[in-house]
Amino acid sequence: MKTRHRWFSDRLQDEIMVVRWGVSGRPVLVFPSAGGDAEEIERFGLVDACGQLLAAGRIKLYSVDSVAGQAMVTKAGSTEHRAWLLSQFHECVRREVVPAIHADLGDQPMDVIAGGASVGAFNAVAVLCRYPDVFSAAIGMSGSYRIERFYDQASSQDLYFSAPLQFLPGLAGPQLDLLRQRYVVLASGEGAWEDIGESWQMAATLGAKGIPNRVDNWGPQWAHDWVTWRRMLPQYLGELT
């Protein structure tokens, strides 16, 4: 069963849509690739790839428009505006999208698994690290974690607090304590357009703070492509649910 919900976000000053597939099970928020919309994961077969898990009632899949990613790809506005929008997008996910997911679940207090590929992997890991109070795990597939390069290598407070590679080294206190009870899977191939070095860098940053994680190297036959992600996502969701 598929449903769509759209609303105007004051945080983003734009409309945002959340789509849900499935009827019961663990909530999984899958971020689109850089500029994708909430239905991208369906068009490229990720929803069908998770069909057995959906049919068994083990998961409910959700996805959300990549509002910040669309601005990043088109270079809409100034660099400072795009960095602000990225931080606001994460806040929108925490303050608007997650409550909408909980309402859809009948207000059950259930932590969400975050997932995504490429820039979607960055967002999945970022929201887990920023909001471990509502996310329990992240599945990063072929992750592009050095987000600064998409923002002309700019430095700003918004970008700093959006990017785990930047803010994790200085993190302490209750947020870090919670993160040490969470889990991150970083999966990557070594085929065309892949850079597994980004996953290893993310793993080292997480590991240095005692945050449980692992890197899975799928090898040179797996490219930075939907074919790879259609194999990865159901495998890891099967492990985590």
Side-chain angles (χ1 to χ4, degrees), residues 2 22 34 41 43 52 58 70 75 84 99 108 121-122 127 131 143 145 165 170 172 175 192 204 206 219 225 231 241:
K2 176 181 176 180
I41 67 167
R43 291 195 300 274
Q52 290 187 346
R58 290 175 61 182
Q70 290 161 6
K75 292 190 177 294
W84 170 84
Q108 301 175 57
F122 161 80
V127 297
Y131 314 112
Y145 301 111
L165 288 177
Q175 184 177 345
L206 292 164
D225 187 82
R231 285 290 298 273
T241 62

Side-chain angles (χ1 to χ4, degrees), residues 115-149:
S118 192
V119 172
F122 161 80
N123 281 315
V125 175
V127 297
L128 172 73
C129 291
R130 292 186 76 170
Y131 314 112
D133 57 321
V134 292
F135 291 96
S136 60
I139 302 169
M141 304 178 292
S142 306
S144 299
Y145 301 111
R146 291 185 290 106
I147 203 70
E148 302 83 1
R149 69 183 186 275

Side-chain angles (χ1 to χ4, degrees), residues 179-203:
L179 264 176
R180 287 172 173 161
Q181 301 171 47
R182 306 304 185 230
Y183 188 62
V184 182
V185 177
L186 304 163
S188 177
E190 290 186 299
W193 310 294
E194 286 282 62
D195 182 1
I196 197 172
E198 294 211 25
S199 295
W200 283 114
Q201 184 180 9
M202 189 73 253

Side-chain angles (χ1 to χ4, degrees), residues 28 50 53 59 61 113 139 233-241:
V28 180
C50 297
L53 294 169
I59 62 169
L61 282 181
I113 296 172
I139 302 169
L233 186 60
Q235 174 177 316
Y236 294 119
L237 287 179
E239 289 181 18
L240 294 172
T241 62

Side-chain angles (χ1 to χ4, degrees), residues 2-76:
K2 176 181 176 180
T3 63
R4 298 181 183 89
H5 296 280
R6 184 187 296 275
W7 65 87
F8 183 85
S9 168
D10 288 334
R11 290 178 175 83
L12 299 173
Q13 288 298 295
D14 201 351
E15 281 197 339
I16 192 165
M17 182 169 71
V18 174
V19 180
R20 182 259 281 160
W21 299 265
V23 295
S24 64
R26 186 74 176 275
V28 180
L29 177 61
V30 182
F31 289 91
S33 62
D37 61 18
E39 294 178 298
E40 181 189 65
I41 67 167
E42 182 178 51
R43 291 195 300 274
F44 286 95
L46 279 189
V47 175
D48 283 345
C50 297
Q52 290 187 346
L53 294 169
L54 287 163
R58 290 175 61 182
I59 62 169
K60 292 179 81 171
L61 282 181
Y62 299 83
S63 193
V64 59
D65 290 339
S66 183
V67 176
Q70 290 161 6
M72 184 187 78
V73 169
T74 61
K75 292 190 177 294

Side-chain angles (χ1 to χ4, degrees), residues 83-84 86-87 90 122 126 130 147-148 151 154-172:
W84 170 84
L86 178 62
S87 185
H90 291 167
F122 161 80
R130 292 186 76 170
I147 203 70
E148 302 83 1
Y151 292 85
S155 177
S156 71
Q157 188 176 51
D158 286 318
L159 202 57
Y160 176 88
F161 287 110
S162 300
L165 288 177
Q166 292 197 30
F167 74 75
L168 278 178
L171 189 64

